DNA sequence: CGCCAGGGCCTCA
DNA sequence: TGAGGCCATGGC
């Protein structure tokens, strides 16, 4: 078994299935981790959440999603029509709220022009390019949307991925996004379910042990690690 | 009080 | 193409 597959097995054994991406179920206002197929409305919720969580803790995003649900505006048409100031106020807890308000409305415009049902028919490469053409959507956000909203087998790279795997000695900390992504995609089977779970496990591991000031002493995968802390 | 959080854009060299 | 500033709240 390859090293990255072994790491995956260890993390899965340690933390269990994560049930990503958290979405709001009917009759509720808070997103929950259940896994399973999602509705078109929930696809948009994932897209919005991917934007809102940029450089921000998910806890702060949950509060915003709660408010958006309570105001009944977490839909493409409603985000498109809502006043910028009103939207900014609802998502205040996520930080960068003025920029994110614009980003959400840009995305709603895009999805109004290219409905999700039509985007489903696009090849992954073309869908990725379209998402990246939206202001405020960079590679990580685009790939999160591809993987968690459209179930495309794309590996998501974030700051946690770089931190964990550079400490493990598998990548270099200055490797750019595409290089890290290619490393994972060249060394794992192209399986959407695997990519979904692996990224979620990376986030969990980074939060619990591989924090900025790491917790190597109690880390469950320290045997695999060179402990190359900055 | 400072640091960090499921980034991305813009500018400047 | 790489580094640095900027956006900003909430938890600890």
């Amino acid at each position: 078994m390859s090293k990255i597959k072994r790491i995956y097995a260890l993390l899965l054994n340690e933390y269990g299935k994560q049930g990503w991406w958290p979405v709001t179920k009917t009759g509720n206002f808070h997103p929950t981790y259940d896994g399973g197929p999602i509705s078109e409305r929930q696809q948009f919720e994932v897209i919005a959440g991917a934007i809102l969580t940029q450089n921000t803790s998910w806890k702060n995003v949950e509060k915003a999603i709660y408010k958006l649900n309570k105001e009944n505006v977490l839909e493409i048409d409603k985000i498109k029509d809502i006043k910028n100031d009103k939207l900014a106020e609802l998502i205040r807890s996520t930080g960068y709220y003025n920029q994110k308000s614009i980003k959400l409305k840009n995305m709603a415009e895009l999805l109004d022009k290219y409905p999700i049902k039509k985007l489903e028919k696009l090849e992954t490469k073309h869908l990725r390019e379209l998402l990246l053409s939206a202001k405020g959507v960079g590679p990580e956000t685009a790939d999160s949307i591809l993987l968690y909203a459209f179930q495309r087998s794309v590996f998501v790279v974030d700051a946690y991925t770089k931190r964990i795997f550079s400490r493990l000695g598998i990548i270099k900390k200055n490797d750019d996004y595409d290089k890290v992504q290619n490393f994972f995609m060249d060394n794992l089977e192209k399986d959407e379910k695997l990519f979904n779970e692996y990224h979620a496990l990376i986030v969990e591991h980074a939060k619990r042990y591989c924090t900025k000031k790491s917790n190597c002493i109690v880390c469950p995968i320290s045997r695999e690690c060179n402990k190359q802390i900055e």
Side-chain angles (χ1 to χ4, degrees):
Chain A
M1 183 163 29
S2 67
K3 181 156 186 176
I4 53 173
K5 210 51 200 297
R6 194 163 63 247
I7 302 288
Y8 172 74
L10 288 170
L11 294 177
L12 182 59
N13 181 62
E14 184 70 20
Y15 306 128
K17 287 191 185 294
Q18 301 297 301
W20 273 39
W21 182 287
V23 289
T24 308
K25 277 67 182 180
T26 51
N28 205 340
F29 287 157
H30 284 105
T32 54
Y33 296 81
D34 289 356
I38 57 176
S39 66
E40 193 172 325
R41 180 192 168 92
Q42 290 169 329
Q43 282 182 281
F44 178 63
E45 182 177 337
V46 173
I47 293 168
I51 291 171
L52 291 175
T53 199
Q54 288 173 356
N55 204 35
T56 303
S57 70
W58 181 254
K59 273 291 175 196
N60 288 354
V61 177
E62 279 185 328
K63 295 179 188 189
I65 290 178
Y66 174 83
K67 288 192 175 179
L68 293 169
N69 281 326
K70 205 169 169 188
E71 293 285 321
N72 195 28
V73 292
L74 195 44
E75 295 173 21
I76 295 168
D77 289 343
K78 294 180 179 173
I79 294 294
K80 193 165 64 70
D81 294 336
I82 193 173
K83 285 266 196 183
N84 218 310
D85 293 345
K86 169 77 171 168
L87 179 55
E89 186 50 39
L90 291 172
I91 65 171
R92 186 174 195 277
S93 63
T94 69
Y96 311 134
Y97 47 82
N98 290 313
Q99 295 199 20
K100 285 176 180 175
S101 177
I102 296 170
K103 293 180 185 186
L104 285 180
K105 291 179 72 65
N106 281 344
M107 183 56 72
E109 291 285 350
L110 183 75
L111 296 175
D112 183 58
K113 190 171 174 185
Y114 304 103
I116 288 176
K117 284 197 196 313
K118 290 199 174 185
L119 297 183
E120 293 278 15
K121 302 182 195 300
L122 291 182
E123 283 177 47
T124 297
K125 192 172 80 172
H126 295 141
L127 180 52
R128 188 174 198 268
E129 287 167 2
L130 183 62
L131 292 169
L132 286 173
S133 74
K135 283 271 188 199
V137 176
E140 184 191 336
T141 304
D143 288 340
S144 293
I145 291 169
L146 288 169
L147 179 61
Y148 293 108
F150 290 93
Q151 290 77 45
R152 303 301 176 94
S153 52
V154 169
F155 199 91
V156 176
V157 175
D158 63 354
Y160 290 157
T161 311
K162 289 188 181 178
R163 187 163 76 206
I164 293 171
F165 287 86
S166 62
R167 285 175 177 174
L168 283 163
I170 294 176
I171 64 170
K172 283 173 280 186
K173 68 173 183 179
N174 285 328
D175 286 347
D176 65 27
Y177 190 96
D178 290 345
K179 181 161 185 179
V180 177
Q181 183 178 51
N182 286 331
F183 172 76
F184 281 93
M185 296 189 66
D186 289 344
N187 289 285
L188 291 170
E189 54 278 33
K190 198 170 156 59
D191 176 358
E192 170 258 323
K193 292 288 195 185
L194 172 62
F195 291 171
N196 175 319
E197 200 59 49
Y198 208 156
H199 177 67
L201 288 166
I202 285 169
V203 171
E204 188 61 20
H205 182 59
K207 287 203 267 205
R208 289 211 210 180
Y209 298 103
C210 207
T211 48
K212 202 129 198 179
K213 289 171 45 76
S214 58
N215 273 310
C216 301
I217 307 295
V218 287
C219 174
I221 64 169
S222 63
R223 289 187 307 275
E224 301 286 340
C225 191
N226 298 340
K227 303 181 180 58
Q228 297 182 348
I229 314 302
E230 277 38 343

